[in-house]
Amino acid sequence: MTHSLSVIILAAGKGTRMKSSKPKVLQTLAAKPLLTHVLDTCAQLETDKTIVVYGFGGNQVQAAMTDYALTWVEQTEQLGTGHAVKVTLDELPQDGESLILYGDVPLVSETTLTQLVTANTSGMSMLTLTVDNPFGLGRIKRDDANNIVAIVEQKDANEAEQAINEINSGIYCVDNALLHKYLPKLSNDNAQGEYYLTDIVKMAVADGIKIAAIEPEDEFEIEGVNNRQQLANLERRWQAKLVEDLQVQGVQFADPARVDIRGQVEAGQDVFVDTNVVFQGHCQIGNNVTIESGCIIKDSVIGDNTHLKPYCVLDEAKLGNQVTVGPFAHLRPKTELANNSKIGNFVETKKSQIGEGSKVNHLSYIGDAQVGKQVNIGAGTITCNYDGVNKSQTTIGDEAFIGSNSSLVAPVTIGKTATVGAGSVITKDVDDHALGVARGKQVQKDNYKRPTKNK
Ligand code: UD1
Ligand code: CA
């Protein structure tokens, strides 16, 4: 039997309390839209169809999600969660089952969803949690045999029901046949005048269906975002979890509360991360790496024993082993630093390869360059790679020495073990083993009298 799993994501809410021109599901957590978190988690499951129910700001939401294959269904009026799922019925397969998720509940995990699907053996499973303060949430009613019999919303609950601590997360896995059967029958005869999705529980129980319930591993998995405070709170808890996962793997953080992982970090052992470091995108870090304060590292690979001094910015850079960078270096996309190379303070690199053991220690711009092994590039050296129209390449051979304050006007090649005199503007190739100097000759006027001011 082929098994079909669909996903229905409710994302029609406006998010008034965010006080934003952006639809709520496009607000970001760990630099990624809330809805994208849900879609990326679903992408790890084997799903056949993902339906997103949109309302407010639909065009904006759709434009931001073009990387995903989605079926969009508009809910023009927000008449309740049951109504939101009902409007998907034309698009929902008759057989198989569906996960019902929310665009503003971003952190539900793949593990939890897999367990929820596995738990759905009789038609319906749901994610519940026993909490200290259940106020505002739907309560799970169970009978004497501990079977779920109904969900009661806060506003409809009597005193005894309000005392129940097991709450409804709103996340379910339901057979599509049951959704097709029950949703058209929902009524809005309740305290909020809404079509409650939760009412399908009673209908299923009346049909003799035994509803399975599981709990998530982390409470934050079922938490939604309605305002900026909740968003910031969820961000902190997510960061704490990411940091904890890395600590377990042997990474030391100077202060777990002062680091941000906006993406995914893989790291070896004995990595030290000082305060206020930000990781973005996908970063891979080897063993024994030291990352000092204030570094911002995006989509980069860092080899073993490498040391980033304070305030370096790395973007799509690839660093070998025993490399030293910074302080205050900017490694832009396609920078590749070979083993034992060194980039010093106030150096910018872009689309350049720096060979093994080579040094660019101070105040330089190295762009579109191929630098060999054991090269020394003096302070203030600039590769002039751009003439206003074209980008050109600079090639520097092994063991070359570039004197300070030189301009290498590309395209240009400096040979192996060649030397460039300090202060040169090099416009022609310098051969292997040769010295190239291109600067004004020094003149001297003896006993020179400086101008004096008229009194
Ligand atoms: C719902 C559950 C409640 C549960 C809680 C968990 C119902 C009736 N109640 O209550 O048992 O404890 O979630 O957070 O389901 N939405 C739409 N269209 C609508 C209505 C809602 O897309 O017409 C979306 C909203 O954007 C929101 C989500 O569904 O993301 C939840 O809706 P909301 O009205 O906030 O449900 P709760 O009152 O929190
Ligand atoms: Ca509501």
Side-chain angles (χ1 to χ4, degrees), residues 374-387:
Q374 308 295 338
V375 170
N376 194 313
I377 296 186
T381 296
I382 306 291
T383 54
C384 308
N385 62 330
Y386 186 51
D387 61 9

Side-chain angles (χ1 to χ4, degrees), residues 25-26 28 30 65 70 93 101 127 170-171 195 205 208 216 226 236 255 263 268 284 328 340 378 387 446:
V25 296
L26 293 186
T28 55
M65 299 296 147
L70 301 170
L101 308 174
L127 199 55
I171 293 173
Y195 294 90
V205 171
N226 296 300
R236 283 301 102 210
D255 181 356
Q284 283 170 272
F328 301 103
N340 298 301
D387 61 9
D446 291 333

Side-chain angles (χ1 to χ4, degrees), residues 100-140:
I100 298 173
L101 308 174
Y102 301 84
D104 60 0
V105 182
L107 298 180
V108 63
S109 73
E110 186 240 347
T111 311
T112 297
L113 294 182
T114 302
Q115 286 170 2
L116 192 63
V117 173
T118 307
N120 180 26
T121 52
S122 59
M124 186 169 173
S125 59
M126 53 189 293
L127 199 55
T128 71
L129 192 62
T130 300
V131 297
D132 292 337
N133 178 14
F135 185 84
L137 296 162
R139 309 299 209 285
I140 308 296

Side-chain angles (χ1 to χ4, degrees), residues 10 12-13 75 78-81 84 102 104 137-138 153 168-169 196 198:
L10 305 193
Q75 186 194 23
Q78 274 82 71
L79 303 178
T81 50
Y102 301 84
D104 60 0
L137 296 162
E153 293 303 296
N168 172 30
S169 71
Y196 289 165
T198 44

